Amino acid sequence: MKASRKKWLIVSLCLVLCLCLAGTAVVYLVKNSGKPVRVAPASAMNNGYWEDSADISSYGNVTSGLTQEVPYDETLSITEIYVQEGDTVRIGDPLVAYDTSLLALELEMKQMQIDGIGLNIQNIQAELDQLKNTAPVAFVSPNREAGLRLALSPVSQETEPESSEVPESSTDPGETEPPTDPGLPEGEVWREITADSVPYAGSGTAADPYRFYVFPPEGKTSVSIGAGYLKKALAEKTWAVFETVDDPQSPARIVSAWTMDWETIASLAQAASGTSLPEEARGAAVFRSVITGQDTPYMGDGSAQNPYRYLCASGSSADFSLMAAAMETGTVYRFDVVDDPDSPSCILYSWTLDGRAPEDPGEDIPGGELPGEDLPGGDFPGIDIPAGPTKEELETQIREKEDTLKTLDLEKRTAALELKQLQKKIEDGVVKSTVNGTVRSVLDEETARLESSPLITVGGEDGFYITGYVAETALTKIEPGMTLTATSWNTGMSYEATVTGVGTSPSSGYSSGNPNLSYYPFTAVIQGDADLTNGDGVDLSGMEGIESSGNDGGLYLPAAFVREDGSRYYVYKKGENGRLTKQYVETGKIVYGTIEILSGLAMDEEIAFPYGRDVKEGARTQSVETLYDYGY
């Protein structure tokens, strides 16, 4: 019996061992199945990136026996033609002279245009700076979900209120949700609300309040609600919504809306006679416009019983930094509106900003008894409601100004380019030969105009001329007689070339990749023998004071070699064990179908084309010099 058990145990162990060996073999075969994935050094796949802001092109073309053509220009009046057909000319000999007196006048007008655009840019920039320094409308309607409550509370004649909370039914001026319906009903836009102001809609009830379009007077950011209207609204117990529109002449939408009800007005009336300034407030700063989180209150610790307090003028407001601080810390701020900002003697009424989140968002904010209906013996002042732009409105205005600046900058650059062209024409009042050769043809102005043919054609003698391109920004740097170095692409031999002339019109056959930069053709001649042939390419460098373009030294892979994983990018590369591994990389510029690799991959590391059945982590690799030979 024991022998049978022992035998059975041995058989079981053997079966388990066989299964393990078979599993290992399957895993090995699966892992090593498929063809090895070709990998090549990243440097071999690097497309490079040639800077597009250089003064001159990095290359040029060799022409044997260059032909110079002087085009007919209807904007110029010819004063003299110095050559005839068959004449022999040398570099620098005059060919034709123009009258540039009219160009001088055009040049002056073009300069005035540029100055005008520049002044416009300064004005728009000043407006943009002002917008960026403008605080948006800070008081918003009560928002329990955000944990922020705002109320206009009366100032007690005898004691300070223990809580800044008031009944929600007496919600004070607050920004309400602008209507989303396209278009606005017709109605007058009021710069000031008086007892005679007529609403465009509404019956004055809480469910159907009066609605007024408002827009602040020039130079102000608030709309005044006069004491006459307040008395009338209190007597009739009416509600009203004051909607600030985007344009006083042709309003298209509402940018902010404020609600005022008779109970709030009663609160103001109760406090109309004002209270004396607290001893702590005497000599304190009075804020006239915007109060920020950086401003110091004259008293308080931020609690509901002892809120932070500020003296301020009517129409002042708190910015979003202070509101954010209130919500984040759950603190309470109180803004005491004084009778005279220059010499305050009493507090007329107070704004309270309560950053505490209510325990039950569904409950009304508790408050005390409502004041009586009778007006106090004395009169009470009107109030100002902030009518400045909202945060969204400010962002829109800033974007519009920035777009305008971009347009003006393009107009100025275009005008400056035209100015350079005019200056070039004036300087080149006499067109000179840029080649050594023979005058092949000379046409009269009428024939050249009708046939759209060159005015003068000069055929160069045998020799080597180089055509390169200079940026518009460097036109004043390049002059005939300057030298540069031309290096042959075929032989690597270098030759000195001398600039003989620069074109007056931008070339349409050369682009650096920067659409905002124009390039002008220039001609340089190589004196003496050279191992060059017509059509050869050469690298250009060595011109004093002028930079040629070149590779910025970065790693730029074809976009097909870089894959996305959500918001991240990765490549497949050969790992230390010779197996394929996924490597995440940091990317930069995307130019001409290539992606710049900032980090995560070195030039000498080998990468694979990241698509195909065999491309997966752990796959075998086969090193090759380049993947271009294999079509990836």
Side-chain angles (χ1 to χ4, degrees):
M1 189 71 176
K2 292 182 179 180
S4 297
R5 288 180 178 177
K6 185 175 182 180
K7 183 177 180 182
W8 173 249
L9 181 60
I10 292 173
V11 171
S12 299
L13 289 174
C14 290
L15 288 173
V16 170
L17 180 60
C18 290
L19 288 174
C20 289
L21 291 174
T24 302
V26 169
V27 170
Y28 177 81
L29 290 174
V30 169
K31 187 175 181 179
N32 290 275
S33 62
K35 298 178 181 178
V37 178
R38 295 187 179 91
V39 290
S43 58
M45 309 308 297
N46 182 22
N47 280 1
Y49 170 58
W50 294 86
E51 295 292 347
D52 60 6
S53 58
D55 289 338
I56 66 170
S57 57
S58 60
Y59 65 89
N61 296 105
V62 175
T63 301
S64 178
L66 181 68
T67 297
Q68 178 187 3
E69 294 180 343
V70 179
Y72 168 73
D73 191 335
E74 61 182 7
T75 65
L76 297 174
S77 175
I78 297 174
T79 58
E80 186 175 357
I81 295 179
Y82 296 103
V83 294
Q84 297 179 353
E85 187 174 329
D87 287 352
T88 300
V89 295
R90 310 300 296 175
I91 293 174
D93 288 348
L95 301 177
V96 60
Y98 295 103
D99 180 5
T100 60
S101 56
L102 292 178
L103 283 180
L105 179 59
E106 187 177 351
L107 182 71
E108 184 178 349
M109 295 177 63
K110 185 62 65 176
Q111 184 61 60
M112 291 175 62
Q113 179 187 357
I114 294 173
D115 293 341
I117 296 174
L119 182 60
N120 201 1
I121 288 176
Q122 290 181 13
N123 293 335
I124 298 296
Q125 184 63 56
E127 293 174 6
L128 177 61
D129 293 340
Q130 183 176 3
L131 284 174
K132 289 183 176 180
N133 292 324
T134 298
V137 173
F139 289 113
V140 297
S141 56
N143 185 341
R144 297 192 186 89
E145 289 72 16
L148 181 65
R149 299 191 297 273
L150 177 66
L152 180 64
S153 59
V155 176
S156 171
Q157 300 293 316
E158 299 177 358
T159 59
E160 296 293 327
E162 294 184 358
S163 173
S164 60
E165 298 169 348
V166 297
E168 189 172 0
S169 62
S170 59
T171 300
D172 300 305
E175 191 178 15
T176 59
E177 193 76 22
T180 56
D181 294 336
L184 294 177
E186 291 187 4
E188 185 172 353
V189 178
W190 300 94
R191 302 291 187 125
E192 179 183 4
I193 299 296
T194 68
D196 298 326
S197 298
V198 179
Y200 75 85
S203 59
T205 64
D208 184 28
Y210 291 135
R211 292 187 173 274
F212 297 85
Y213 292 138
V214 296
F215 193 88
E218 186 175 353
K220 294 187 177 182
T221 59
S222 61
V223 174
S224 174
I225 301 180
Y229 172 82
L230 297 178
K231 289 180 180 181
K232 180 180 178 182
L234 182 59
E236 298 176 356
K237 297 183 179 180
T238 56
W239 290 59
V241 178
F242 304 101
E243 300 168 334
T244 303
V245 294
D246 57 345
D247 185 277
Q249 277 75 41
S250 303
R253 65 190 185 90
I254 296 171
V255 298
S256 63
W258 293 77
T259 301
M260 177 69 75
D261 62 90
W262 68 271
E263 294 167 350
T264 297
I265 300 172
S267 297
L268 288 175
Q270 186 76 11
S273 59
T275 60
S276 299
L277 288 174
E279 191 63 33
E280 296 85 352
R282 300 194 181 279
V286 178
F287 297 94
R288 298 172 183 269
S289 56
V290 177
I291 305 170
T292 72
Q294 304 300 318
D295 293 325
T296 304
Y298 71 83
M299 65 175 293
D301 58 14
S303 63
Q305 293 73 27
N306 188 23
Y308 291 127
R309 295 180 66 174
Y310 301 83
L311 295 183
C312 58
S314 176
S316 58
S317 61
D319 77 349
F320 278 87
S321 67
L322 193 145
M323 294 180 64
M327 294 172 61
E328 183 177 352
T329 60
T331 49
V332 181
Y333 295 79
R334 182 169 173 173
F335 310 101
D336 298 324
V337 181
V338 297
D339 56 343
D340 185 351
D342 296 319
S343 181
S345 60
C346 67
I347 297 174
L348 297 178
Y349 54 91
S350 297
W351 290 99
T352 298
L353 182 65
D354 193 335
R356 297 173 299 159
E359 295 181 1
D360 184 0
E363 294 183 1
D364 290 336
I365 302 173
E369 296 180 1
L370 291 176
E373 300 179 21
D374 295 334
L375 290 174
D379 198 1
F380 62 96
I383 64 171
D384 292 336
I385 58 172
T390 63
K391 182 181 179 182
E392 293 74 17
E393 185 71 11
L394 267 180
E395 291 174 349
T396 299
Q397 293 179 18
I398 288 173
R399 281 196 303 270
E400 290 174 351
K401 296 297 182 185
E402 289 175 340
D403 291 342
T404 301
L405 281 179
K406 291 178 182 178
T407 301
L408 288 174
D409 180 66
L410 180 58
E411 290 179 4
K412 185 178 180 181
R413 283 168 45 82
T414 301
L417 178 57
E418 293 171 351
L419 179 69
K420 288 180 180 178
Q421 294 172 347
L422 289 172
Q423 290 172 333
K424 195 71 177 174
K425 286 184 178 181
I426 292 178
E427 292 169 1
D428 295 342
V430 176
V431 178
K432 299 176 182 179
S433 176
T434 59
V435 299
N436 297 323
T438 303
V439 178
R440 292 181 179 174
S441 65
V442 178
L443 302 179
D444 59 78
E445 291 184 77
E446 185 65 17
T447 302
R449 183 182 67 82
L450 293 175
E451 296 181 359
S452 299
S453 300
L455 187 68
I456 299 174
T457 303
V458 180
E461 298 175 350
D462 290 340
F464 299 101
Y465 297 88
I466 296 172
T467 301
Y469 302 90
V470 59
E472 62 182 86
T473 53
L475 274 176
T476 57
K477 298 180 182 179
I478 187 170
E479 296 178 354
M482 297 180 68
T483 60
L484 55 86
T485 300
T487 303
S488 171
W489 290 357
N490 294 331
T491 65
M493 296 293 291
S494 296
Y495 305 95
E496 184 180 273
T498 304
V499 176
T500 60
V502 182
T504 58
S505 300
S507 172
S508 60
Y510 177 82
S511 173
S512 66
N514 184 348
N516 297 321
L517 196 61
S518 297
Y519 280 77
Y520 288 72
F522 70 86
T523 303
V525 62
I526 298 176
Q527 305 288 353
D529 295 333
D531 188 9
L532 296 169
T533 58
N534 192 40
D536 279 357
V538 291
D539 287 328
L540 303 180
S541 61
M543 186 178 291
E544 185 176 356
I546 296 184
E547 296 181 1
S548 58
S549 58
N551 194 291
D552 68 358
L555 175 57
Y556 289 79
L557 295 179
F561 280 80
V562 184
R563 296 189 63 172
E564 288 188 60
D565 182 5
S567 60
R568 304 174 68 188
Y569 293 86
Y570 67 91
V571 298
Y572 276 108
K573 73 172 187 178
K574 178 181 178 181
E576 294 180 357
N577 58 358
R579 300 280 180 168
L580 206 61
T581 182
K582 180 190 290 187
Q583 175 65 49
Y584 285 96
V585 294
E586 181 184 359
T587 61
K589 296 189 290 284
I590 299 178
V591 285
Y592 308 130
T594 66
I595 298 179
E596 181 184 18
I597 306 299
L598 298 176
S599 64
L601 184 68
M603 285 281 192
D604 57 352
E605 291 187 286
E606 297 176 276
I607 61 172
F609 183 64
Y611 297 93
R613 183 181 61 183
D614 299 322
V615 177
K616 55 183 177 291
E617 288 197 273
R620 292 178 300 152
T621 60
Q622 176 187 351
S623 296
V624 295
E625 291 184 0
T626 176
L627 297 176
Y628 288 121
D629 295 343
Y630 299 94
Y632 294 168

